[in-house]
């Protein structure tokens, strides 16, 4: 089956980002296809590469990046939600005149149309949020 | 159109579970995850309401989230099925869609 995953909660908030990760991992291990993982609202904070969680804690962003690399996942961050929260890739940093970018490997910034398409193309859109 | 409903908040924090039980159609399923697992415990203020809904709706609870909170499986209301993340994925295939009550 083809899935799209929507993550609306930031990392280390409650548990939504962790549940989304565990669900995505289980679905992939069962042989399902993940069409896209879309990060929206505070969920965009899952994509910052500047977070440094304690070493004995899980690194949520790195975990997503690794799963994404392993399975060639399309991990999309909502541009409007990202701009509000200070999450930029190289192009956006340049466009907005900022001196740095902070997006982690495997994530890309794009628009809400990507969420609509994810809902249309997938058999199931599964939401994890706050 | 039998749906899988997920509830991830404690029934003692928000009314998501009660709203879900009020609106879930006959033949659908409810999966309690994260803090939602407290709704699966027996002897609470909401357990009678959950038991009543069992005639129309199937109930599941995510085992890893029960264990993560130190809750005992023998406290879970009879009739609940305990699933892991693989079981969660399977449920999303068995029902026509997933609705998350946040």
């Amino acid at each position: 089956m083809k899935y799209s995953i929507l993550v609306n909660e930031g990392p280390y908030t409650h548990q939504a980002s962790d549940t989304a990760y565990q669900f995505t991992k289980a679905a992939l291990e069962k042989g399902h296809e993940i069409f896209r993982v879309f990060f929206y609202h505070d969920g965009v904070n899952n994509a910052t590469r500047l977070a440094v969680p304690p070493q004995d804690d899980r690194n949520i962003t790195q975990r997503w990046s690794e799963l994404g690399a392993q399975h060639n996942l399309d991990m999309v961050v909502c541009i409007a939600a990202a701009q509000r929260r200070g999450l930029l890739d190289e192009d956006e940093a340049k466009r907005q005149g900022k001196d740095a970018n902070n997006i982690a490997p495997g994530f890309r910034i794009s628009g809400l149309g990507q969420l609509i398409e994810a809902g249309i193309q997938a058999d199931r859109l599964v939401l994890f949020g706050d | 159109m039998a749906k899988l409903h997920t509830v991830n908040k404690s029934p003692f924090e928000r009314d998501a579970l009660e709203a879900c039980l009020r609106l879930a159609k006959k033949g659908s399923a409810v999966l309690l995850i994260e803090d939602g697992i407290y709704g699966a415990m027996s002897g609470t203020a909401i357990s009678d309401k959950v038991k009543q809904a069992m005639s129309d709706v199937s109930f599941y609870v995510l085992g890893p989230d029960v264990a993560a909170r130190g809750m005992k499986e023998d406290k879970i209301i009879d009739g609940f099925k305990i699933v892991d993340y693989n079981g969660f994925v399977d449920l999303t295939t068995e029902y026509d869609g997933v609705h998350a009550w946040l």
Side-chain angles (χ1 to χ4, degrees):
Chain A
M1 207 165 243
K2 205 189 281 186
Y3 286 89
S4 287
I5 309 294
L6 175 57
V7 183
N8 281 0
E9 185 185 288
Y12 313 103
T13 308
H14 290 115
Q15 205 189 333
S17 180
D18 297 279
T19 309
Y21 172 81
Q22 299 295 349
F23 180 91
T24 304
K25 195 161 158 266
L28 288 164
E29 279 164 9
K30 283 183 147 293
H32 295 295
E33 181 190 338
I34 304 292
F35 178 77
R36 182 167 292 146
V37 185
F38 192 89
F39 297 85
Y40 194 22
H41 300 290
D42 277 351
V44 302
N45 291 318
N46 285 288
T48 175
R49 64 180 163 82
L50 297 185
V52 189
Q55 283 193 352
D56 59 351
D57 196 359
R58 71 238 188 266
N59 188 324
I60 290 180
T61 300
Q62 196 183 326
R63 214 167 51 172
W64 277 116
S65 285
E66 284 167 6
L67 192 69
Q70 205 179 334
H71 297 277
N72 201 19
L73 293 182
D74 187 21
M75 302 195 294
V76 177
V77 176
C78 169
I79 186 164
Q83 284 182 341
R84 286 190 179 94
R85 291 166 179 82
L87 194 99
L88 302 162
D89 62 10
E90 210 180 323
D91 287 347
E92 274 306 300
K94 218 172 274 171
R95 201 166 69 92
Q96 304 292 345
K98 299 291 182 184
D99 59 4
N101 70 77
N102 60 338
I103 196 162
F107 293 88
R108 66 183 178 95
I109 292 180
S110 189
L112 261 188
Q114 301 280 306
L115 171 60
I116 305 301
E117 189 197 28
I120 292 168
Q121 294 295 328
D123 302 306
R124 299 283 185 274
L125 174 64
V126 189
L127 160 64
F128 299 92
D130 192 7
Chain B
M1 276 295 283
K3 281 211 184 305
L4 173 68
H5 302 268
T6 63
V7 178
N8 74 341
K9 290 292 178 290
S10 165
F12 314 111
E13 179 195 353
R14 293 195 204 174
D15 64 356
L17 178 59
E18 282 187 74
C20 170
L21 296 182
R22 201 164 60 237
L23 293 166
K25 288 209 169 104
K26 197 175 174 148
S28 59
V30 175
L31 168 64
L32 303 181
I33 63 173
E34 302 174 12
D35 281 350
I37 66 104
Y38 293 112
M41 297 298 143
S42 54
T44 72
I46 195 153
S47 51
D48 281 345
K49 221 170 231 178
V50 173
K51 279 187 219 164
Q52 269 172 22
M54 278 181 162
S55 52
D56 287 343
V57 175
S58 306
F59 279 89
Y60 300 86
V61 62
L62 195 65
D65 284 346
V66 174
R69 285 159 181 77
M71 302 306 285
K72 297 273 180 282
E73 289 193 358
D74 59 14
K75 272 269 291 172
I76 293 172
I77 297 167
D78 284 342
F80 265 89
K81 290 194 189 84
I82 302 169
V83 295
D84 57 9
Y85 287 101
N86 286 326
F88 184 176
V89 174
D90 289 342
L91 284 171
T92 64
T93 67
E94 287 161 23
Y95 289 87
D96 295 327
V98 191
H99 184 99
W101 295 80
L102 304 175

